[in-house]
Amino acid sequence: MKEKILVTGGTGYIGSHTVVELQNAGYDVVIVDNLSNSSADVVDNIEAVSGIRPAFEKIDCLDYAGLEGVFAKYQGIKAIIHFAASKAVGESVQKPLLYYRNNIGSLINLLELMPKYGVEGIVFSSSCTVYGQPDVLPVTEKAPIKKAESPYGNTKQINEEIIQDTVASGSPISAILLRYFNPIGAHPTALLGELPNGVPQNLVPYIVQTAIGIREKLSIFGNDYNTPDGTCIRDYINVVDLAKAHVVAIARILEKKQKAKVEVFNIGTGRGLSVLELVQAFEKSTGVKLNYQIAPRRAGDIEKVWADPSLANNELGWKADTPIEDTLLSAWKWQLHLREKGIQ
Ligand code: NAD
Ligand code: UD1
């Protein structure tokens, strides 16, 4: 019998790609999403990619009774991947309570329901934002957690602690915390991708919208950082590679291969790219010239961060191996697809 996995936030950007990879690996998927930052059409697109329609419930993770109804309806859920969260850093500064309520309340509901319904484990979407500006690069999982720069970042730190405390208290669950670096790109079929709300805040959505003419020019925030070309450095990870990390994490939990009840992994490529290098890679892979200018630094930006992913490579047997050019091409094809559909 196929093992059943609950994916919260499964119609979102990373969630939708992960659902496809779970299905490809033979899992039976139940999605819970309140559609606050995605649309129900994504379920059709997942089916178009994988050939399998996942179960979908439009439920808010803050709705305890609604969530309990899902566990009761789909008996035998073995594990959860918890993506559902509010994720806009700037908005979290404006509306901290919304972020604390949504991101913390949702996790608490799941952790309370898991033992009641015999759910063995949870994979949690954390972020490299927990490291702030690391003192040592590449950053390992042992690096200190720095004071969060935003309420959003704080919710990730608090959620990691809530999971640690819950397991330490004797809850019969286990957990894997995945600290993502910068997820970018789209599914190679161009049927799944990121749908930014309004003006994109993240680099790659801004690049593709500029390339297609929705935005006039990209502003590169700062070229006077202490980096080789003066622009900030990040570890950009392909979203399908990232999705696959969740599949191996789920298998590790279900096959009881964990070395601790809570494990933490960096999910990145191990390679840092500057903003200028990324722009050049985009132009090279797509053949599209990008209009850009150098602008002042953006408040709150980290100068440079990239992962040491060796723990995930060695323990999970997972590696991000999609070349950056392919990833940027997938982002561009997704933008072309959106244009074709008249969406953006
Ligand atoms: P996304 O907004 O595309 O997906 C999140 C999904 O969760 C959306 O479909 C939204 O409708 C849903 N959702 C939000 N609150 C909900 C609730 N209370 N109940 C049910 N559904 C709810 O975001 P994403 O980029 O796919 O991110 C997924 C997860 O990964 C988030 O937890 C995010 O914080 C984390 N993360 C993302 C990035 C990134 O750069 N995208 C980086 C690090 C960590
Ligand atoms: C941001 C969040 C981080 C979150 C991550 C998820 C902030 C401060 N941090 O990280 O918490 O986990 O998204 O993906 O918002 N850039 C430009 N011009 C643009 C947009 C971005 O030059 O129009 C630069 C930024 O200065 C940065 C790099 O591109 O150097 C990447 O930016 P972005 O995609 O927003 O990601 P992060 O800032 O790394």
Side-chain angles (χ1 to χ4, degrees):
M1 203 189 71
K2 287 181 175 177
E3 282 159 321
K4 215 174 277 169
I5 310 297
L6 175 67
V7 180
T8 74
T11 46
Y13 172 45
I14 305 169
S16 57
H17 289 82
T18 303
V19 170
V20 165
E21 295 307 318
L22 285 167
Q23 292 174 321
N24 289 345
Y27 292 102
D28 199 3
V29 178
V30 179
I31 295 175
V32 162
D33 201 300
N34 65 359
L35 303 181
S36 57
N37 198 34
S38 55
S39 99
D41 304 348
V42 174
V43 180
D44 301 332
N45 296 341
I46 290 172
E47 184 180 9
V49 174
S50 69
I52 305 163
R53 192 166 186 84
F56 171 69
E57 299 288 339
K58 182 176 181 294
I59 300 274
D60 194 312
C61 293
L62 290 176
D63 172 5
Y64 186 90
L67 211 47
E68 177 150 26
V70 173
F71 287 103
K73 179 172 173 185
Y74 300 93
Q75 287 288 324
I77 290 172
K78 289 270 192 190
I80 300 172
I81 306 182
H82 182 41
F83 293 108
S86 303
K87 64 157 185 177
V89 176
E91 185 187 49
S92 81
V93 177
Q94 304 303 322
K95 302 175 184 168
L97 297 181
L98 186 151
Y99 275 67
Y100 286 116
R101 186 191 297 275
N102 194 28
N103 294 5
I104 294 173
S106 297
L107 176 70
I108 292 173
N109 282 345
L110 289 169
L111 293 175
E112 282 185 347
L113 285 163
M114 285 174 71
K116 202 168 165 187
Y117 288 87
V119 183
E120 294 170 23
I122 184 163
V123 176
F124 175 68
S125 299
S126 190
S127 166
C128 70
T129 190
V130 302
Y131 299 122
Q133 175 59 65
D135 301 321
V136 180
L137 287 166
V139 63
T140 73
E141 293 81 355
K142 292 201 169 73
I145 302 298
K146 298 266 175 77
K147 183 175 161 32
E149 294 268 353
S150 68
Y152 165 75
N154 206 19
T155 67
K156 292 296 171 194
Q157 297 190 2
I158 294 169
N159 277 351
E160 288 200 4
E161 287 172 7
I162 289 173
I163 291 171
Q164 298 275 10
D165 290 347
T166 304
V167 170
S169 76
S171 175
I173 62 162
S174 57
I176 294 186
L177 317 181
L178 299 181
R179 293 181 180 154
Y180 315 155
F181 282 67
N182 286 53
I184 61 164
H187 199 269
T189 59
L191 290 171
L192 301 172
E194 185 172 13
L195 253 189
N197 213 341
V199 180
Q201 304 300 311
N202 294 117
L203 180 59
V204 171
Y206 207 102
I207 287 178
V208 292
Q209 289 200 3
T210 305
I212 209 161
I214 299 174
R215 312 281 157 208
E216 195 201 333
K217 62 168 77 153
L218 169 75
S219 289
I220 294 184
F221 299 137
N223 68 348
D224 55 354
Y225 285 99
N226 183 23
T227 60
D229 65 23
T231 64
C232 293
I233 296 179
R234 297 288 185 276
D235 184 335
Y236 296 96
I237 172 158
N238 177 281
V239 67
V240 176
D241 288 344
L242 171 61
K244 288 177 180 166
H246 295 80
V247 178
V248 291
I250 285 290
R252 185 173 173 93
I253 289 174
L254 297 182
E255 291 163 14
K256 307 213 178 318
K257 290 193 172 144
Q258 286 181 272
K259 293 195 172 146
K261 297 274 280 177
V262 183
E263 292 181 314
V264 184
F265 296 101
N266 280 345
I267 302 297
T269 67
R271 181 176 170 218
L273 275 186
S274 75
V275 179
L276 273 174
E277 284 173 324
L278 193 89
V279 166
Q280 283 153 9
F282 177 82
E283 290 182 331
K284 187 171 155 231
S285 61
T286 61
V288 181
K289 199 98 195 89
L290 199 73
N291 193 13
Y292 67 84
Q293 65 184 4
I294 303 297
R297 291 183 176 195
R298 178 172 72 177
D301 262 341
I302 301 299
E303 182 169 270
K304 50 191 165 196
V305 61
W306 63 95
D308 178 342
S310 47
L311 192 66
N313 298 162
N314 299 334
E315 282 294 324
L316 297 178
W318 166 91
K319 199 171 187 322
D321 51 15
T322 307
I324 187 73
E325 288 78 13
D326 294 7
T327 304
L328 292 168
L329 196 56
S330 72
W332 177 232
K333 285 188 177 157
W334 167 245
Q335 185 61 56
L336 292 171
H337 168 83
L338 291 178
R339 163 65 50 91
E340 225 168 76
K341 294 251 161 190
I343 300 171
Q344 270 180 355

